[in-house]
Amino acid sequence: MKPKVYFPAVFALLASAAGLPALAAVNRTDLLGDPAPSAAAMRTITIDENTKYVNVKGGEVVKFVAGDKAA
């Protein structure tokens, strides 16, 4: 291939790679919940050493209990 064809391809690759750190720095705080009083909890989830994950729906208020700590 001719060198003139390589330049635009290499430039496009380098330009797209330069923008990757900007995408990695985005913090998705919209995925985090807001604290609520324990009395508002619709259900309680007990977390122990066998807990791998929990399912919580959007808008649901839950209380997490791990040992003697509750949040």
Side-chain angles (χ1 to χ4, degrees):
M1 293 184 114
K2 298 179 183 180
K4 292 181 181 180
V5 176
Y6 285 125
F7 181 73
V10 170
F11 179 76
L13 182 64
L14 291 175
S16 64
L20 288 177
L23 292 175
V26 174
N27 189 4
R28 295 288 310 263
T29 56
D30 59 328
L31 296 178
L32 303 176
D34 295 320
S38 295
M42 297 175 192
R43 65 183 177 122
T44 301
I45 298 174
T46 304
I47 299 175
D48 58 15
E49 63 274 356
N50 296 323
T51 304
K52 294 183 182 179
Y53 59 88
V54 295
N55 291 323
V56 179
K57 296 179 182 178
E60 186 177 17
V61 180
V62 297
K63 177 180 177 181
F64 292 103
V65 177
D68 60 344
K69 298 179 182 175

